[in-house]
Amino acid sequence: TVFDGFFARYNSDGTLDTSYDGDGFRPTGIGNGLRFGDCAQQSGKVYCAGSYTTNYVLGRLNSDGTVDTNFGNTGFITVDVGAGATARSIAVASDGARIYIGGFRNPSATDLTKEELVILAYKSDGTPEAGFGDNGKVVRDLGTNLSPSSLAVAQDGSILFAGGAGLTFPEKKIAIGKLNAQGMSETSFGAEGTVTHDQSHVKDLAL
């Protein structure tokens, strides 16, 4: 069985909107075990972040739920970020000019302490934001087995990420980090751009 990510639309009373693709559900058609991690809405568009095998996937829907084929080539962008790719969060700048997708990868199939932060940035047309990191891509080995769960964009364009660090209790910690608009660690924030606390894990972040 090959799994595929899908979208669903509900009415305001919580029932499925069966006018949406006939039954309320619409598969992406990507297959390959695609799993979505997060969605965000901006100016009537819905952005979704997912992953499968070594790839991050970023998609955009129109307000009626159809795939926005003006975004990227087909409405979906697929980028190979490396083994163990897991996209967990998406954040859109308030002006809609930048879209960020974040999560982690694990270059080692056997050592879970090797997880690395991976954040991608795109323009509103689906092209990479070259002014962020290495042509729109930031990879960080923060040395803490950081697995981010959430992203947020501040008014000044900086990016905050939050999640967990460490593998097991009592070593498991909350981890919060900050990058500037160019994708560099904001060294004025915590210790070289990262703060950790002995409080297990965090799933979401708000500014």
Side-chain angles (χ1 to χ4, degrees):
T1 300
V2 177
F3 295 99
D4 187 14
F6 65 89
F7 306 106
R9 188 165 71 189
Y10 289 82
N11 298 307
S12 58
D13 62 359
T15 58
L16 274 171
D17 180 358
T18 55
S19 69
Y20 182 57
D21 214 43
D23 60 359
F25 297 99
R26 173 171 290 175
T28 66
I30 294 175
N32 298 311
L34 173 66
R35 58 199 185 277
F36 283 114
D38 197 15
C39 287
Q41 190 170 2
Q42 172 71 26
S43 301
K45 304 289 187 179
V46 178
Y47 295 89
C48 295
S51 50
Y52 67 89
T53 59
T54 64
N55 301 289
Y56 274 11
V57 177
L58 175 61
R60 188 168 77 185
L61 305 181
N62 296 306
S63 57
D64 63 357
T66 57
V67 175
D68 185 354
T69 55
N70 293 318
F71 185 71
N73 294 323
T74 63
F76 293 97
I77 299 166
T78 301
V79 180
D80 190 334
V81 301
T86 303
R88 285 186 165 177
S89 187
I90 190 168
V92 184
S94 58
D95 61 359
R98 280 189 177 189
I99 303 98
Y100 298 92
I101 174 174
F104 63 92
R105 69 181 186 186
N106 190 341
S108 171
T110 58
D111 187 352
L112 295 180
T113 66
K114 300 300 183 182
E115 289 177 355
E116 297 174 333
L117 171 75
V118 181
I119 299 177
L120 306 181
Y122 288 88
K123 298 178 182 179
S124 58
D125 62 358
T127 57
E129 177 51 75
F132 181 79
D134 181 8
N135 195 32
K137 179 180 179 181
V138 166
V139 177
R140 291 281 187 278
D141 180 359
L142 300 175
T144 55
N145 189 51
L146 178 66
S147 53
S149 300
S150 185
L151 293 177
V153 184
Q155 289 295 325
D156 64 359
S158 59
I159 303 96
L160 286 96
F161 55 88
L167 288 174
T168 58
F169 299 104
E171 290 80 16
K172 197 76 173 176
K173 303 175 184 293
I174 286 175
I176 302 171
K178 186 176 183 181
L179 305 176
N180 62 25
Q182 291 74 46
M184 302 297 293
S185 294
E186 187 60 75
T187 56
S188 63
F189 182 82
E192 298 299 316
T194 307
V195 173
T196 60
H197 295 288
D198 296 330
Q199 294 292 336
S200 180
H201 194 89
V202 62
K203 293 291 186 181
D204 208 352
L205 176 67
L207 298 179

